[in-house]
Amino acid sequence: MTDSSAEQKISAPSLSRAKRVVIKIGSALVVDPDLAAPRAEWLAGVADDIAALRARGTEVVVVSSGAIALARHSLGLTRPRLRLDEKQAAAAVGQIGLAQAWATVLGRCGLTAAQLLLTPDDTEDRKRYLNARAALETLLSLGCIPVINENDTIATAEIRFGDNDRLAARVAQMISADQLILLSDIDGLYTADPRTNPDAEHLPIITALTQEIEEMGGAPPPGYSSGGMRTKLQAARIATESGCAMAIAQGGQPHPLAALMQGGRCSWFLPVEDGRTARKRWIAHGLAPVGHVVIDAGAAKALADGGSLLPAGVKSVSGGFSRGDLVLVQSETGEEIARGLTIYNSEEARRLAGHRSDDMESVLGWQGRPELIHRDDLVLKQG
Ligand code: GLU
């Protein structure tokens, strides 16, 4: 249902309206693999974009990977998979160059970079969390650009994010950012891997992290990258459940943030509240009903009180519909009470009508969900 044209009409957030944004930049963008050095020109373009955001009043926090990638060559650590102690060593060396690269490009735009190295404890332990948050708030109020990485040198295997996608989401949550942008080598989420499947469709807006969406995550790509779509979807869950919108956008071109502000292609994951509202709007206006169910007064009251529609309150079912179709819910006098997406098809719904949830197994021959329409998939008629 995520790729329905009706749902795509839901308007996406826009970076140009962000108040406080976390921008996560992966190693492949920051580090030139041939030179094993920062991609200075590209970084300078990003710094310009950040300066433009700051000039419009947007607070910006950068989460930058690249420490390990910067140092691994000079240390002769070129195997695709490094041991933890080797990663710790590479990070200790590379982080100096990484921070220097950011300080240089931001400095040229008149901005002051501030380095923060965090471990999961800093975002999860209450006291340390408050401490890290206070430091970030002060840096932002002083007009600095915090540049954050994981403290890989002291992180152990058990207490390690291991990927900066989730670290960035935790940071966004910690400082109540309204947007998190993951700059990546791909312009968003696809229904399948677009490198191998020509039928893969790009999803511009994701209103809910359903199982169907989770399954689009796939395994991490080969090579040095530690993320992949799976960790991006984990980041999306952390961010959206904290009320922060998240975008996955192509970062490879010069000035990737300016490109995004000018409407560049990306996938937006809506914050949970917005996602729910958007989904409800889509149920209310975006679909044609294919059947209706008549319910009794007790069920109507339960719906008005925010409950789900249970089969026990259903008096009759008309039309031929499949699971997931939109059906109208009517009173016994024929008035529309609500509309929603049905969990059962019309034949099952007819059999279940009037039965209590306890009887469902004997009626259906299998134990199904107790509701006919779940309250998250139901919109009451206004007025
Ligand atoms: N923190 C690691 C680094 O700076 C990278 C983790 C990631 O690739 O997400 O090298």
Side-chain angles (χ1 to χ4, degrees):
M1 273 180 273
T2 42
D3 54 354
S4 136
S5 56
E7 202 158 3
Q8 283 182 17
K9 292 201 189 90
I10 295 162
S11 65
S14 161
L15 176 57
S16 48
R17 289 194 294 271
K19 294 186 193 68
R20 179 175 277 189
V21 63
V22 175
I23 296 162
K24 184 264 173 180
I25 306 180
S27 302
L29 295 175
V30 177
V31 181
D32 182 322
D34 299 325
L35 305 174
R39 292 172 66 214
E41 218 171 297
W42 182 85
L43 283 171
V46 174
D48 283 345
D49 291 354
I50 292 173
L53 279 165
R54 282 278 351 179
R56 18 180 348 139
T58 307
E59 292 176 318
V60 183
V61 171
V62 174
V63 173
S64 174
S65 309
I68 298 172
L70 269 180
R72 56 192 298 154
H73 283 272
S74 64
L75 298 175
L77 301 170
T78 48
R79 280 176 287 114
R81 296 233 165 273
L82 300 184
R83 294 193 312 265
L84 178 64
D85 57 308
E86 292 172 328
K87 284 187 195 162
Q88 290 174 316
V93 174
Q95 184 62 35
I96 299 175
L98 182 63
Q100 186 57 54
W102 279 109
T104 304
V105 291
L106 290 168
R108 277 200 219 115
C109 300
L111 295 170
T112 304
Q115 176 188 260
L116 275 92
L117 299 177
L118 301 178
T119 63
D121 278 354
D122 296 312
T123 60
E124 273 144 42
D125 174 271
R126 179 84 189 144
K127 224 161 133 199
R128 291 173 64 166
Y129 167 98
L130 291 174
N131 185 41
R133 189 176 69 177
L136 276 165
E137 292 288 352
T138 304
L139 286 166
L140 287 171
S141 68
L142 291 169
C144 300
I145 306 294
V147 179
I148 303 178
N149 197 355
E150 181 158 16
N151 195 348
D152 291 305
T153 302
I154 57 152
T156 63
E158 300 76 43
I159 51 147
R160 189 164 185 272
F161 286 106
D163 66 87
N164 278 2
D165 295 325
R166 280 176 301 155
L167 169 64
R170 288 279 178 219
V171 169
Q173 181 182 49
M174 177 156 76
I175 58 168
S176 306
D178 53 325
Q179 294 187 9
L180 165 63
I181 312 288
L182 304 183
L183 289 183
S184 172
D185 57 359
I186 188 160
D187 57 4
L189 181 66
Y190 285 76
T191 51
D193 187 341
R195 292 165 300 190
T196 52
N197 187 338
D199 297 329
E201 275 180 56
H202 178 262
L203 299 175
I205 299 185
I206 294 96
T207 56
L209 286 163
T210 58
Q211 197 182 343
E212 187 192 6
I213 295 289
E214 300 278 5
E215 282 163 10
M216 293 170 194
Y224 293 164
S225 162
S226 40
M229 208 39 87
R230 184 170 297 165
T231 57
K232 291 183 176 42
L233 293 180
Q234 289 168 344
R237 184 166 296 285
I238 298 168
T240 57
E241 287 182 357
S242 320
C244 173
M246 187 188 102
I248 301 175
Q250 173 71 258
Q253 74 277 35
H255 296 282
L257 300 171
L260 193 56
M261 279 196 271
Q262 283 148 22
R265 194 151 103 140
C266 68
S267 291
W268 278 105
F269 295 77
L270 299 190
V272 165
E273 264 321 303
D274 277 15
R276 269 199 206 122
T277 315
R279 184 172 168 79
K280 294 239 169 171
R281 193 162 3 123
W282 174 65
I283 291 170
H285 308 293
L287 294 170
V290 284
H292 67 258
V293 296
V294 173
I295 63 170
D296 63 22
K301 167 135 190 357
L303 297 193
D305 290 345
S308 298
L309 177 62
L310 304 180
V314 175
K315 306 293 283 181
S316 64
V317 175
S318 9
F321 47 84
S322 307
R323 290 177 202 189
D325 276 344
L326 184 80
V327 294
L328 291 182
V329 180
Q330 294 177 332
S331 70
E332 289 179 88
T333 51
E335 274 165 285
E336 180 179 332
I337 296 173
R339 45 181 66 198
L341 306 178
T342 168
I343 292 174
Y344 293 98
N345 67 29
S346 46
E347 198 246 325
E348 291 161 343
R350 264 184 210 105
R351 277 166 42 208
L352 287 170
H355 286 279
R356 287 155 40 96
S357 302
D358 302 348
D359 300 338
M360 290 179 85
E361 190 165 4
S362 58
V363 175
L364 290 173
W366 44 279
Q367 182 61 53
R369 296 256 304 266
E371 316 88 12
L372 178 60
I373 303 176
H374 190 272
R375 60 166 183 253
D376 288 350
D377 292 332
L378 188 107
V379 181
L380 293 178
K381 175 103 178 144
Q382 302 298 321

